[in-house]
Amino acid sequence: MKLQLEPDVAFGVHPEFGVVAAVSDDHPFLDEVLRKHHFRHNSTLDLYTLADDIPHNTAVRTVARASREFQDVGLSVAADPRIMLPPPIPTSDGVPARQALPGQSLTALTGELHELRRSADVADVLEQILDEHHGVVGDLEEFIDTAAAWCDRLGTANGRELGQHLRTIAHHVAFLGDQLVTAQLDLAVMPDVTPEGAPALADVPLLPRYELPSVTHTVRARAALASSPNHPTAQSTSPDDAARTPAAPTSPRRTR
């Protein structure tokens, strides 16, 4: 196989402009694809750059999509692994910035389960999810708490209500983490191994789960009932009308 010493496209990290791209020649197709994925050519640097305010995860996905499009037509692509490193998480004054590390995706960990036979190996995978510093459960709890703080910044009654709702969800996530720790410890001490003739994990049907109503529908329902400058508040129902109107059934979700 003949290897090219110089790739057709290279993605890297610039200290000032963040994620950038460089091309080996001025072929119009290279320029077209990069511009399609929101890169813009900087004539001074002779590099393609992204917008300054683009979120890190969006930049990573942009590089992945552009790379796949180049590779689909047989072009070679090189990418600096540092592109995957997210920026530090902002903190208040006097608090050291927490360095974020790229975690292994749940998709990759789920795929890993299909290759495992020992209970202890499954426990090791669960341990990665539950890691105190880089586990997805802790990260999800922190993300929800931060989203709740964002709602508080709105300074409105709806914002405070939604912030409190999000904090309740964060408590549920913490409880879920505790339950997963128990399952992980049980798996770690189980000596069981799947037999050689066991069916592939992909062939084992998953049990159906209870389908919860979409949160989007709930939000839309609240918005439809809320008053606005364009839609005056509906008149209150008279006592006689209320007596003739059957009460709505209690939602099974309201367990709090």
Side-chain angles (χ1 to χ4, degrees):
M1 183 176 65
K2 181 180 179 181
L3 297 177
Q4 291 181 314
L5 298 179
E6 183 180 10
D8 295 301
V9 185
F11 295 96
V13 180
H14 190 278
E16 181 179 354
F17 297 98
V19 176
V20 297
V23 297
S24 59
D25 56 43
D26 296 330
H27 195 286
F29 177 76
L30 303 177
D31 179 83
E32 177 185 345
V33 172
L34 288 172
R35 290 184 183 276
K36 171 185 173 182
H37 292 281
H38 310 296
F39 282 91
R40 296 295 178 263
H41 186 255
N42 185 315
S43 57
T44 303
L45 299 174
D46 193 22
L47 292 172
Y48 288 84
T49 63
L50 291 169
D52 295 337
D53 57 350
I54 185 171
H56 169 75
N57 287 344
T58 303
V60 173
R61 289 194 295 268
T62 298
V63 171
R65 293 189 186 108
S67 298
R68 186 162 53 246
E69 189 162 345
F70 286 129
Q71 292 171 336
D72 285 345
V73 296
L75 297 174
S76 59
V77 180
D80 188 335
R82 289 177 296 178
I83 291 175
M84 298 297 297
L85 293 176
I89 298 175
T91 57
S92 56
D93 294 338
V95 178
R98 175 187 156 200
Q99 293 291 333
L101 296 177
Q104 199 169 13
S105 72
L106 278 176
T107 302
L109 293 174
T110 302
E112 189 174 332
L113 290 179
H114 287 257
E115 307 298 327
L116 302 179
R117 296 186 60 237
R118 299 190 311 138
S119 300
D121 294 334
V122 179
D124 290 340
V125 174
L126 262 178
E127 188 174 5
Q128 297 181 56
I129 296 175
L130 300 167
D131 184 87
E132 181 180 358
H133 301 289
H134 310 302
V136 66
V137 174
D139 286 347
L140 178 59
E141 186 179 355
E142 181 175 359
F143 173 84
I144 297 173
D145 279 332
T146 304
W150 187 94
C151 292
D152 291 341
R153 290 198 308 163
L154 296 175
T156 63
N158 287 339
R160 288 187 292 271
E161 180 185 359
L162 184 54
Q164 186 59 44
H165 180 58
L166 286 170
R167 290 188 178 89
T168 301
I169 295 175
H171 285 301
H172 289 316
V173 172
F175 176 76
L176 171 64
D178 292 339
Q179 299 302 304
L180 287 174
V181 167
T182 301
Q184 188 264 339
L185 294 175
D186 289 342
L187 281 166
V189 298
M190 286 171 55
D192 300 340
V193 177
T194 57
E196 292 289 348
L201 184 56
D203 297 333
V204 179
L206 300 179
L207 295 177
R209 290 178 292 183
Y210 177 70
E211 294 294 335
L212 295 176
S214 171
V215 175
T216 302
H217 294 165
T218 304
V219 173
R220 287 177 178 173
R222 289 179 179 176
L225 295 175
S227 60
S228 71
N230 298 326
H231 300 281
T233 305
Q235 296 180 354
S236 59
T237 306
S238 66
D240 293 338
D241 292 339
R244 290 193 297 267
T245 304
T250 304
S251 171
R253 291 186 62 192
R254 306 291 293 193
T255 56
R256 297 191 299 276

